[in-house]
Amino acid sequence: MDSEKTRKERTLSEDPERRPEVKRLQSRQPSPPVATGSEAQGITIEGLSAFYGSFKAVTDASMNIQANKVTALIGPSGCGKSTFLRCLNRMHEVIPGARAEGCVRLGDQDIYAKGSDPVKIRQRVGMVFQKPNPFSKSIYENVAWGARINGYRGNMDELVERSLRQAAIWDEVKDRLKESGMGLSGGQQQRLCIARTLAVEPEVILMDEPASALDPVSTQKIEDTMEELKKRYTVVIVTHNMQQAARISDYTGFFYIEHMGDPGRLWEFDATDKIFSNPERKETEDYVTGRFG
Amino acid sequence: MPRETFQHELDRLVGEIISLGREVEACLGMMVEAMEGHDAGVASRELGIDQRFKERGAEIDEECMILQARQAPVARDLRLIYTIQAVTNHLVRSGTLCEHICRAIAETADCERDPELETALLEMARGARDLFGQGLNVFEDRDIDRARDLEALDDKIDLLYSEAMNLVVNPTNSDGSPEWRMRAALTVHYLERIADHGVDVGGRTVFLVTGERMESAMRQYRERHLDDDED
Ligand SMILES: Nc1ncnc2c1ncn2[C@@H]1O[C@H](COP(=O)(O)OP(=O)(O)OP(=O)(O)O)[C@@H](O)[C@H]1O
Ligand SMILES: [Mg+2]
């Protein structure tokens, strides 16, 4: 009687249908992030759930985000990609009533541990949003501002130039640094915002659909920066553009809601090559081929 | 809606290569018939198929390229387009080889033949035709279980190949004009290639269905069946 129960419990927890994020094919999945010599850190997420009040938006997501790699998050609208992303730098909890459960480790630091400072975390894990949101200040000040309030004491001109170069916008703005950031085109504004994020010298950069409002050429410029950025940083990007995810990312996580009203789940997580050529799960395949529902 | 059109396009292309494949198969049938009857007339009727098949192959290729440009296929769609192009190539090449053989039959119809070598040739030709047809069946039905049978059939062709080659090099009699023997040696080689194309069409189907290369897919498949047996 007893032993039978034990067996049943074991089968349930091992049933891959019930635990989609425990993948059957382990081969190309990243192992826990390790320091790679550079300063970038990976992120380990274990059993993360996110709530808005009593509404559970994401349930039990686990994933290893590799340092110095680009990880793309894809999935249908409302499945919790942005929510998940915001949990990675404690931005989620700024919404009244919102909270997260589970474990998120940046390198070996538990960012939700008692006593960990969300402001410090957000400095180490920067964020670029969907709509470019430059301040109504000069281009120079847009970049310098965040670094300054974070107490940067080095050579500010150098930092501004370096950040603008890494964001692949230096050549376009170097002669007009004193002009307002608001006067730039949408694509330039977005790269300015990336530069602003970089100036704080984070280890991880989170991007929520950073190119969704941009034309292909501006999008290409943002994507080009990605190759450069991952040399120094760990990048996590939410995108609805499948080809963009396929082009720029090393790993891809697919979020999915099976039944209306359920919380979003991390349905499949694997090397990008695998997700876009031969995904394990039917729902992933239906989604990436655009034959959803 | 565009995705529905895309699906229709893919279905149409698959239908197109199956009908192309069946035509190549029919030509292989005529080739065997011409060999059996030493019939230069039948063989000559097949001359020109190469050009026709190549043109259709080029059209399919072009359509695949446009679909890739417009639809940016991934996952099973990507595997399907890749497979369509690869299978088309196997079919067209088999057609080319078939025409080479038919030309040889037509041009050597009056030559003196070595009956022993001829028997081996005929057996190989029937085997190659069958294997090609079965490869096409595997693709049409996406029946990867039967892809394994192709390899067994191909082993038989390979055996006939070495027998025939042995007869070319070490004839047991003095029959067969030099011209005929030379053409026979080439034909043996072409038939072996046709059989390989048939096996490859099956292998491509395995990739299409499983996303794995033939070998590792077959290994996984066998292991899965071992697991099933244990239950
Ligand atoms: N501030 C909020 N208050 C309450 N519920 C929210 C809030 N923000 C998001 N949600 C809900 O949480 C769920 C996940 O939303 P989220 O924005 O994370 O989805 P998403 O995957 O980013 O979607 P999209 O692709 O449309 O950006 C949705 O059901 C959404 O309605
Ligand atoms: Mg979102």
Side-chain angles (χ1 to χ4, degrees):
Chain A
M1 186 69 181
D2 251 351
S3 67
E4 200 180 308
K5 201 169 191 174
T6 321
R7 209 184 70 204
K8 204 167 190 178
E9 277 166 4
R10 197 194 61 210
T11 5
L12 278 183
S13 64
E14 283 175 4
D15 182 354
E17 297 311 309
R18 291 175 62 99
R19 302 225 31 192
E21 53 277 30
V22 179
K23 285 283 312 303
R24 280 151 286 181
L25 275 192
Q26 298 288 329
S27 57
R28 281 183 260 195
Q29 282 226 76
S31 45
V34 283
T36 55
S38 102
E39 291 177 32
Q41 295 282 355
I43 304 181
T44 310
I45 300 118
E46 280 164 16
L48 183 75
S49 298
F51 302 80
Y52 294 97
S54 59
F55 173 66
K56 197 180 197 182
V58 175
T59 190
D60 194 22
S62 300
M63 162 187 318
N64 288 328
I65 293 170
Q66 293 295 98
N68 297 102
K69 299 284 180 208
V70 176
T71 298
L73 307 179
I74 60 171
S77 224
C79 64
K81 304 177 296 293
S82 299
T83 304
F84 176 85
L85 196 71
R86 285 197 304 265
C87 289
L88 303 187
N89 73 344
R90 298 194 55 172
M91 290 271 281
H92 177 59
E93 68 207 47
V94 303
I95 296 163
R99 67 195 167 85
E101 275 173 11
C103 182
V104 177
R105 281 197 308 274
L106 174 60
D108 47 22
Q109 185 194 342
D110 178 355
I111 70 167
Y112 283 101
K114 268 213 180 78
S116 98
D117 176 358
V119 175
K120 284 238 168 62
I121 297 296
R122 283 170 213 147
Q123 185 201 329
R124 294 179 63 192
V125 184
M127 187 134 183
V128 176
F129 298 90
Q130 176 173 6
K131 290 216 187 74
N133 53 348
F135 312 127
S136 53
K137 294 175 191 291
S138 71
I139 292 169
Y140 185 99
E141 276 307 310
N142 259 281
V143 182
W145 180 79
R148 191 171 288 136
I149 63 164
N150 273 302
Y152 181 75
R153 302 200 183 284
N155 182 327
M156 190 58 86
D157 288 356
E158 269 175 30
L159 178 72
V160 169
E161 176 171 345
R162 187 168 71 235
S163 305
L164 287 167
R165 279 189 190 281
Q166 281 175 21
I169 192 182
W170 171 251
D171 288 335
E172 287 159 72
V173 299
K174 61 174 189 269
D175 301 322
R176 49 199 277 208
L177 293 174
K178 296 276 168 291
E179 290 172 27
S180 167
M182 310 293 279
L184 297 171
S185 77
Q188 290 171 330
Q189 286 185 12
Q190 190 60 300
R191 280 176 286 143
L192 178 63
C193 292
I194 292 176
R196 188 176 69 193
T197 305
L198 299 180
V200 182
E201 302 190 306
E203 296 157 49
V204 180
I205 304 167
L206 309 176
M207 300 191 181
D208 197 347
E209 303 183 50
S212 65
L214 305 182
D215 78 292
V217 173
S218 306
T219 299
Q220 184 58 50
K221 287 193 171 143
I222 302 270
E223 290 182 9
D224 287 346
T225 64
M226 226 61 85
E227 270 304 301
E228 280 304 306
L229 291 184
K230 76 176 186 186
K231 290 180 187 156
R232 291 160 176 274
Y233 312 96
T234 302
V235 181
V236 186
I237 177 171
V238 173
T239 178
H240 277 134
N241 181 332
M242 291 301 105
Q243 289 305 316
Q244 179 167 69
R247 278 194 298 268
I248 64 177
S249 69
D250 302 289
Y251 295 96
T252 299
F254 171 57
F255 282 80
Y256 180 57
I257 292 178
E258 194 172 19
H259 304 291
M260 263 246 286
D262 283 357
R265 281 175 185 277
L266 176 61
W267 203 249
E268 184 164 351
F269 181 63
D270 214 322
T272 296
D273 292 347
K274 170 91 173 126
I275 296 284
F276 285 95
S277 69
N278 192 22
E280 282 297 306
R281 309 194 79 184
K282 182 178 180 301
E283 294 79 6
T284 314
E285 181 136 45
D286 287 347
Y287 185 74
V288 297
T289 57
R291 290 209 183 64
F292 209 52
Chain B
M1 198 55 191
R3 282 282 141 169
E4 253 170 56
T5 322
F6 180 39
Q7 187 61 58
H8 291 321
E9 280 294 293
L10 290 175
D11 292 346
R12 197 182 56 70
L13 275 175
V14 168
E16 174 67 17
I17 59 173
I18 287 169
S19 88
L20 174 64
R22 293 297 172 210
E23 284 180 46
V24 176
E25 189 185 10
C27 292
L28 291 172
M30 298 312 284
M31 172 195 83
V32 171
E33 200 174 294
M35 274 172 110
E36 286 166 344
H38 318 119
D39 192 331
V42 171
S44 304
R45 276 208 302 279
E46 301 306 311
L47 303 182
I49 54 170
D50 179 39
Q51 191 52 37
R52 238 176 42 233
F53 292 152
K54 274 187 178 147
E55 277 163 18
R56 283 175 62 188
E59 275 168 30
I60 293 172
D61 228 47
E62 164 125 25
E63 288 183 53
C64 286
M65 195 169 109
I66 290 171
L67 278 184
Q68 289 182 68
R70 301 184 64 135
Q71 300 285 353
V74 295
R76 64 164 175 259
D77 299 337
L78 181 63
R79 298 203 302 277
L80 181 56
I81 291 200
Y82 172 83
T83 304
I84 287 173
Q85 288 186 290
V87 168
T88 303
N89 187 40
H90 292 303
L91 303 180
V92 170
R93 279 167 182 270
S94 300
T96 304
L97 296 167
C98 177
E99 174 160 334
H100 288 342
I101 295 173
C102 287
R103 177 163 290 117
I105 297 170
E107 290 176 1
T108 59
D110 301 327
C111 293
E112 192 194 323
R113 291 178 290 269
D114 170 350
E116 212 176 336
L117 180 50
E118 188 173 32
T119 310
L121 270 186
L122 252 179
E123 201 178 336
M124 246 188 115
R126 294 192 189 107
R129 174 199 60 194
D130 293 350
L131 218 169
F132 181 90
Q134 290 186 32
L136 208 54
N137 292 343
V138 167
F139 177 72
E140 184 166 15
D141 305 335
R142 310 267 161 102
D143 182 359
I144 61 171
D145 289 4
R146 274 190 320 189
R148 261 185 316 174
D149 305 344
L150 298 179
E151 298 208 326
L153 270 178
D154 189 47
D155 289 344
K156 216 180 105 193
I157 301 279
D158 287 346
L159 205 66
L160 286 167
Y161 174 84
S162 58
E163 265 175 35
M165 278 308 189
N166 186 38
L167 286 171
V168 169
V169 185
N170 307 303
T172 56
N173 53 52
S174 55
D175 298 334
S177 69
E179 163 78 356
W180 185 84
R181 297 198 84 81
M182 192 197 75
R183 295 294 189 114
L186 285 173
T187 301
V188 168
H189 175 68
Y190 296 152
L191 290 172
E192 192 266 340
R193 298 297 313 136
I194 292 172
D196 273 356
H197 285 305
V199 177
D200 283 347
V201 169
R204 304 285 185 181
T205 310
V206 172
F207 172 73
L208 171 63
V209 174
T210 66
E212 305 281 344
R213 300 282 153 190
M214 178 80 170
E215 264 180 26
S216 71
M218 277 303 155
R219 196 171 54 240
Q220 285 186 10
Y221 176 83
R222 278 195 288 271
E223 280 163 7
R224 197 181 59 208
H225 276 250
L226 283 179
D227 290 349
D228 288 354
D229 292 347
E230 278 167 10
D231 284 351

